[in-house]
């Protein structure tokens, strides 16, 4: 691979294109390298390679696939520092979040490797019709298109193709143009681990080519299923196109997670977890806490604890990096709108000019309510709303008053209370006494409402990429 120009990976070969784009580090504003940009032709070449590789790969033994996945896990672990460096340069992530990504991705690989043999078997149901027997097979779809975002490139990138590969599908993996080296590194360890040519093809492209390339991939007759992780707005476009072509799609989209702090909560613990949930990775996580709902009786001590915890963990003198200046501007606009309608800032200064236009320190806004853009709009940045409630019913209503439903949290010293509230929250996951940001390989992950549908991870992730076939036979 060229030191300065990243290649695509098509049919097991590194492909450098004549059309390239610059990859700019949000931390420094400097171009760190150039990247090959896939054209419509490159996309079709990748699909054709995946289609040709499907018959032998789908017939391969689970133990053979397991061995490749385990070798990839070892390589990821061995090359972790290289992965960390690429992610820090491309996304501005701090080292702890880079390490979380590689650690979680490594565990994901080994978790899938441990499940692959037992997860792919079928069933033999008892038929009601005399003399009739039946077999129910699980079989891969064929070519799968996986599309991943930049914000957690190793976790979200890996899961967009790992479960499909393990289930016997071949994959076109299309990654965000903001973190292409991260995605190249993922593809590269699978090549080095012995994955046959064409089974995994890695693409990225210029922003202006997104519609043409993505449409060509979705509409290609060989592509049988699509999974997409990203914004709800883009997810709607992907789902619409997939629907027109009658292709199933798995979507993990945006979020507006609420953390409910009950009157009996451990205030110190709740403040710490809400701080982490709101401001980890500058709030650029789909599961980030966007609303902290606090019982009115403890609002003052909780506010003080939250302010203290934020200052200790995310000090204003060290403002975090966001991936683009547009993200900073969006958060500022949402905060200004809320202030113009009666809200107030109780921590931070969103108007402060930092050392670069991609930096912003945490901001807490109190008095956010219906009618303010911040109440409903996903900020995807370092701002969080602090809202008081009087009753459990009010808290549940506030938490559910959103188009999203990906994650949430409840803080209480009574497990019964926590479970009762969790059951009422319209969300793919609710975490009792821990932050809303929680994702591990052995738990299903996905949303409801406009946060998407379908599930990644564990056996649920494998089942997403297997279809069932019934075969009957007579005695």
């Amino acid at each position: 691979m060229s030191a300065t120009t990243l290649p695509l990976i098509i049919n097991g070969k590194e492909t450098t294109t004549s059309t390239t784009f610059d990859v700019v580090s949000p931390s420094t504003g400097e171009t760190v390298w150039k990247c090959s940009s896939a054209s419509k032709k490159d996309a079709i070449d990748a699909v054709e390679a995946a289609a040709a590789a499907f018959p032998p790969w789908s017939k391969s033994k689970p133990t053979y696939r397991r061995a490749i996945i385990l070798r990839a896990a070892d390589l990821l672990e061995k090359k972790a520092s290289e992965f960390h460096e690429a992610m820090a340069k491309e996304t501005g992530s701090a080292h702890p979040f880079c390490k979380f990504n590689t650690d979680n991705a490594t565990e994901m690989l080994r978790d899938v490797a441990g499940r692959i043999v037992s997860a792919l078997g079928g069933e033999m149901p008892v038929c009601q019709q005399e003399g009739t027997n039946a077999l129910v097979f699980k079989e891969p779809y064929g070519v799968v298109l996986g599309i991943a975002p930049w914000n957690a490139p190793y976790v979200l990138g890996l899961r967009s193709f790992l479960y499909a590969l393990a289930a016997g599908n071949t994959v076109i993996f299309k990654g965000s143009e903001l973190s292409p080296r991260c995605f190249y590194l993922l593809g590269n360890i699978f090549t080095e681990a012995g994955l046959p040519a064409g089974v995994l093809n890695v693409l990225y492209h210029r922003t202006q080519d997104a519609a043409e390339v993505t449409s060509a991939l979705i509409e290609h007759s060989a592509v049988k299923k699509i999974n997409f992780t990203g914004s709800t707005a883009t997810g709607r476009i992907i789902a619409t196109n997939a629907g027109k072509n009658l292709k199933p799609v798995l979507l993990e989209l945006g979020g507006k997670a609420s953390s409910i702090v009950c009157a009996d909560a451990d205030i110190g613990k709740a403040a710490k977890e809400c701080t982490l949930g709101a401001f980890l990775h500058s709030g650029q996580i789909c599961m980030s806490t966007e609303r902290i709902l606090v019982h009115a009786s403890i609002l003052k001590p909780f506010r003080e604890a939250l302010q203290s915890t934020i200052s200790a963990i995310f000090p204003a003198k060290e403002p975090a990096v966001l991936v683009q200046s547009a993200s900073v501007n969006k958060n500022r606009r949402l905060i200004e709108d809320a202030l113009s309608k009666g809200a107030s800032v109780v921590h931070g200064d969103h108007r402060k000019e930092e050392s670069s236009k991609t930096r912003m320190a945490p901001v807490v806004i109190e008095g956010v309510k219906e009618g303010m853009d911040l109440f409903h709009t996903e900020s995807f940045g370092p701002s969080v709303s602090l809202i008081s409630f009087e009753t459990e019913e009010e808290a549940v209503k506030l938490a559910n008053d959103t188009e999203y439903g990906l994650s949430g949290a409840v803080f209480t010293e009574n497990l019964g209370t926590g479970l009762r509230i969790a059951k009422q929250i319209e969300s793919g996951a609710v975490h009792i006494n821990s932050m809303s940001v929680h994702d591990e390989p052995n738990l299903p992950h996905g949303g409801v409402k406009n946060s998407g549908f379908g599930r990644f991870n564990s056996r649920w992730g494998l089942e997403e990429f297997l279809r069932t076939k019934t075969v009957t036979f007579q005695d």
Side-chain angles (χ1 to χ4, degrees):
M1 183 188 72
S2 166
T4 56
T5 303
L6 283 163
L8 313 173
I9 301 176
I10 299 176
N11 201 24
K13 298 177 181 178
E14 297 188 351
T15 303
T16 302
T17 62
S18 58
T19 302
T20 63
F21 59 89
D22 292 341
V23 180
V24 178
S25 171
S27 299
T28 65
E30 298 175 345
T31 298
V32 287
W33 38 70
K34 289 185 177 294
C35 183
S36 294
S37 180
S39 64
K40 180 178 178 180
K41 181 183 182 304
D42 294 321
I44 293 172
D45 287 346
V47 175
E48 291 176 350
F54 174 68
W57 179 250
S58 65
K59 294 179 176 67
S60 65
K61 297 298 183 184
T63 49
Y64 171 69
R65 298 177 215 161
R66 180 179 64 191
I68 293 173
I69 293 169
L70 287 173
R71 286 196 293 270
D74 292 342
L75 287 166
L76 176 51
E77 196 168 56
K78 179 181 177 182
K79 299 182 177 186
S81 60
E82 181 183 359
F83 279 65
H84 295 164
E85 181 183 6
M87 183 173 168
K89 285 185 176 181
E90 291 189 327
T91 71
S93 300
H95 178 72
F97 193 65
C98 294
K99 187 176 186 303
F100 166 81
N101 258 256
T102 54
D103 288 351
N104 199 286
T106 304
E107 178 57 30
M108 190 188 305
L109 286 161
R110 290 175 177 151
D111 181 86
V112 169
R115 297 177 188 278
I116 189 170
V117 173
S118 60
L120 305 184
E123 299 178 42
M124 190 172 182
V126 176
C127 293
Q128 295 182 2
Q129 186 175 326
E130 192 68 34
T132 299
N133 302 278
L135 296 171
V136 177
F137 295 98
K138 293 182 180 179
E139 59 184 23
Y141 281 85
V143 179
V144 170
L145 168 61
I147 306 174
W150 58 269
N151 58 319
Y154 301 131
V155 173
L156 305 185
L158 181 62
R159 77 177 192 192
S160 72
F161 66 81
L162 174 61
Y163 298 99
L165 286 185
N169 302 276
T170 54
V171 179
I172 312 301
F173 169 43
K174 192 173 82 71
S176 167
E177 74 282 0
L178 298 177
S179 56
R181 185 177 286 272
C182 294
F183 300 129
Y184 165 81
L185 290 173
L186 284 176
N188 184 253
I189 60 170
F190 272 85
T191 300
E192 193 173 338
L195 192 70
V199 174
L200 174 63
N201 303 271
V202 183
L203 306 177
Y204 8 78
H205 51 68
R206 300 178 304 174
T207 303
Q208 60 263 44
D209 297 330
E212 180 182 40
V213 172
T214 307
S215 294
L217 290 167
I218 293 174
E219 294 167 6
H220 197 293
S221 60
V223 173
K224 303 301 183 184
K225 184 165 184 174
I226 300 100
N227 74 83
F228 170 80
T229 300
S231 72
T232 297
T234 304
R236 280 196 177 96
I237 297 171
I238 300 290
T240 298
N241 201 347
K244 289 178 180 177
N245 289 275
L246 294 178
K247 296 181 181 181
V249 60
L250 188 167
L251 299 174
E252 198 260 75
L253 309 175
K256 190 73 178 176
S258 290
S259 289
I260 299 174
V261 184
C262 299
D264 68 339
D266 180 326
I267 291 177
K269 179 179 178 61
K272 179 181 178 182
E273 294 294 319
C274 287
T275 294
L276 292 170
F279 302 118
L280 185 67
H281 195 33
S282 306
Q284 299 171 118
I285 304 173
C286 51
M287 298 171 283
S288 290
T289 300
E290 297 240 346
R291 298 168 173 170
I292 304 174
L293 312 179
V294 185
H295 194 276
S297 65
I298 61 166
L299 178 60
K300 183 178 178 181
F302 178 84
R303 183 197 300 119
E304 293 171 351
L306 183 68
Q307 291 167 329
S308 176
T309 306
I310 295 171
S311 296
I313 301 176
F314 301 104
K317 64 180 180 180
E318 300 172 10
V321 176
L322 281 77
V323 73
Q324 292 178 317
S325 60
S327 301
V328 173
N329 295 335
K330 176 183 178 181
N331 276 263
R332 285 175 171 168
R333 285 196 305 272
L334 290 172
I335 295 168
E336 287 293 344
D337 175 77
L339 296 182
S340 72
K341 296 172 182 175
S344 60
V345 171
V346 296
H347 184 89
D349 180 5
H350 65 288
R351 293 169 181 162
K352 182 182 178 183
E353 291 298 326
E354 304 291 356
S355 59
S356 75
K357 295 184 182 300
T358 56
R359 283 176 165 80
M360 182 176 177
V363 178
V364 181
I365 310 96
E366 195 169 330
V368 176
K369 58 187 177 182
E370 183 77 40
M372 300 176 182
D373 293 342
L374 187 58
F375 186 79
H376 286 299
T377 302
E378 180 185 24
S379 67
F380 208 68
S383 60
V384 69
S385 302
L386 185 61
I387 303 170
S388 68
F389 66 88
E390 296 285 349
T391 66
E392 182 179 304
E393 292 74 20
E394 183 185 1
V396 170
K397 183 178 179 181
L398 282 167
N400 287 335
D401 189 6
T402 170
E403 65 180 4
Y404 299 106
L406 186 60
S407 187
V410 180
F411 295 90
T412 174
E413 291 297 276
N414 187 307
L415 181 58
T417 299
L419 290 172
R420 183 175 63 248
I421 293 174
K423 288 180 179 179
Q424 299 176 73
I425 302 300
E426 298 166 349
S427 178
V430 179
H431 308 289
I432 299 173
N433 290 331
S434 64
M435 62 175 165
S436 60
V437 179
H438 190 119
D439 184 18
E440 53 184 279
N442 62 315
L443 298 177
H445 181 77
V448 299
K449 302 196 288 189
N450 284 357
S451 289
F453 41 79
R455 294 293 180 267
F456 288 105
N457 293 353
S458 188
R459 63 178 177 85
W460 296 276
L462 287 167
E463 288 168 2
E464 282 285 349
F465 298 99
L466 292 166
R467 57 189 179 192
T468 57
K469 176 185 287 181
T470 302
V471 176
T472 67
F473 60 95
Q474 301 300 306
D475 288 340

